Amino acid sequence: MNRVRAKAKTWTQKNWIASASLVALIFAVIIFEEINASSDASASLQLSGSAVFSPPPDINEITERVKIIKNLSYSDSANSFLDIYRPKNATVSMPVILWIHGGGYVGGSKDSRQDYALALADAGYVVANIDYALAPEALYPGPVLQANQALAYLQLHAAEYGGDMERVFVGGDSAGAQIASQVAALVSNVELAETMAIQPAIANSQLQGALLLCGLYNLDTVRATAFPNIDYFLSAYTGAEPFESFPKIDELSTVQHVSPEYPPVFITVGDADPFVSQSIELVEVLKNNQVQFSSVFFEGTEKNLKHEYQYDLNTEDAQDTFKKTLQFLFVHSK
């Protein structure tokens, strides 16, 4: 009898262990699928510890002072929606900032950048925070076209929200910084606009600056950065494998399209971000073309600031960079 009980106990233990393992496996699969089905799917493909999003300590007070108008349709293209952020008590017209989110061209959303947009608006700006169609369903140059469409929409409607379209800034982070930098090149470089067969929605005199955070700007050298899954992101965006074989790949390299007419630039990147070299390359090109710029780099500091460090607005480094961003906007908004 005791032997039978022992065998039964052993079988029960083995069966429980197997069941528990199966449950754990199913749970892991569910978590993986949820991550990859999210609107910010690229987060699971990026650096460990990167893309930390935390609001500024006074986010509740900021939210009370800023009005949000959600999901305005700016064109007939897929996923063409934008949110407007503006100070509630503004009495004068304000500069306009078009913000383009990152996410490796395959993920991300305007909603994930809401705290940052709120903080910008609270400083006295009308912020248009856009969504755009994502790769691989939508390919290049879709987001560039949509950003231009968003500018056309703002030309017609920004004044309704207190925006002054004679003082426009374009900005973005990561892949969004690349798109924003290309939009700035499109507006300021007639040759690029003709090559892409795009009529810029605003004149270069209206574009006062570009805010470029942790971006990529040279497609000839970006593979050498060893940014995690860079081949996947850019192949999805261009539809070419390898992405360097894409016939129009040079259009994406902002370093090739900067001219003396390029707008002033605010540029930043963390010291532990693989895209450090990309930002340094762009700064050298800006210098060579005598384009005004303000940079916040951390070379030699050993702060270990990773990709998208600027969105961790609960940290001193992100807050300091944000203050310098506002200084840049103030100087170039006059």
Side-chain angles (χ1 to χ4, degrees), residues 3-309:
R3 186 176 299 173
V4 171
R5 287 178 179 173
K7 287 183 177 180
K9 183 177 180 181
T10 300
W11 181 87
T12 301
Q13 289 174 335
K14 289 180 178 179
N15 194 46
W16 182 88
I17 291 171
S19 298
S21 298
L22 180 60
V23 169
L25 177 60
I26 292 172
F27 181 75
V29 169
I30 290 172
I31 293 297
F32 178 82
E33 289 179 347
E34 286 181 347
I35 290 173
N36 284 277
S38 73
S39 62
D40 213 354
S42 64
S44 63
L45 298 171
Q46 293 183 355
L47 292 174
S48 174
S50 70
V52 174
F53 294 82
S54 64
D58 59 342
I59 187 62
N60 291 332
E61 292 85 350
I62 290 174
T63 302
E64 288 296 317
R65 295 191 294 263
V66 175
K67 180 177 178 61
I68 307 175
I69 301 93
K70 299 283 288 184
N71 294 322
L72 298 170
S73 177
Y74 64 83
S75 86
D76 294 331
S77 301
N79 205 30
S80 292
F81 298 97
L82 61 79
D83 299 338
I84 295 286
Y85 303 77
R86 63 178 303 276
K88 289 180 179 178
N89 298 322
T91 58
V92 297
S93 63
M94 297 161 285
V96 175
I97 302 173
L98 178 73
W99 196 261
I100 306 169
H101 71 77
Y105 308 100
V106 302
S109 71
K110 59 182 173 59
D111 293 338
S112 65
R113 275 58 174 174
Q114 177 161 301
D115 290 341
Y116 195 80
L118 281 165
L120 286 173
D122 188 53
Y125 298 88
V126 173
V127 180
N129 183 20
I130 70 170
D131 271 335
Y132 51 88
L134 300 174
E137 289 76 19
L139 300 176
Y140 173 84
V144 180
L145 293 170
Q146 286 179 273
N148 194 53
Q149 290 167 344
L151 288 171
Y153 176 90
L154 292 169
Q155 279 278 60
L156 296 174
H157 299 286
E160 300 170 19
Y161 307 102
D164 177 5
M165 286 300 289
E166 293 303 313
R167 294 180 290 165
V168 178
F169 296 84
V170 295
D173 60 277
S174 194
Q178 185 277 318
I179 297 167
S181 72
Q182 190 174 353
V183 170
L186 182 72
V187 172
S188 61
N189 187 323
V190 174
E191 184 177 343
L192 178 62
E194 290 177 349
T195 298
M196 296 183 69
I198 298 175
Q199 177 62 47
I202 62 172
N204 197 33
S205 61
Q206 295 173 259
L207 185 58
Q208 306 304 308
L211 309 174
L212 306 179
L213 315 183
C214 306
L216 56 154
Y217 313 107
N218 188 345
L219 276 292
D220 288 337
T221 59
V222 72
R223 184 183 291 277
T225 67
F227 190 94
N229 298 289
I230 190 64
D231 190 70
Y232 165 74
F233 293 137
L234 287 169
S235 291
Y237 186 41
T238 62
E241 294 185 25
F243 64 82
E244 292 95 339
S245 67
F246 181 56
K248 297 182 179 181
I249 195 66
D250 288 345
E251 289 180 6
L252 284 77
S253 290
T254 301
V255 294
Q256 296 189 31
H257 307 295
V258 171
S259 72
E261 301 303 313
Y262 201 82
V265 171
F266 179 86
I267 186 167
T268 187
V269 66
D271 60 316
D273 189 328
F275 285 158
V276 167
S277 60
Q278 292 282 297
S279 292
I280 291 173
E281 281 190 68
L282 181 56
V283 163
E284 288 304 310
V285 173
L286 295 173
K287 288 179 181 178
N288 291 338
N289 283 274
Q290 298 183 319
V291 175
Q292 296 181 62
F293 71 92
S294 297
S295 62
V296 180
F297 297 161
F298 298 88
E299 293 177 280
T301 63
E302 298 184 359
K303 286 179 175 287
N304 198 36
L305 297 175
K306 296 182 172 63
H307 191 59
E308 303 278 46
Y309 82 93

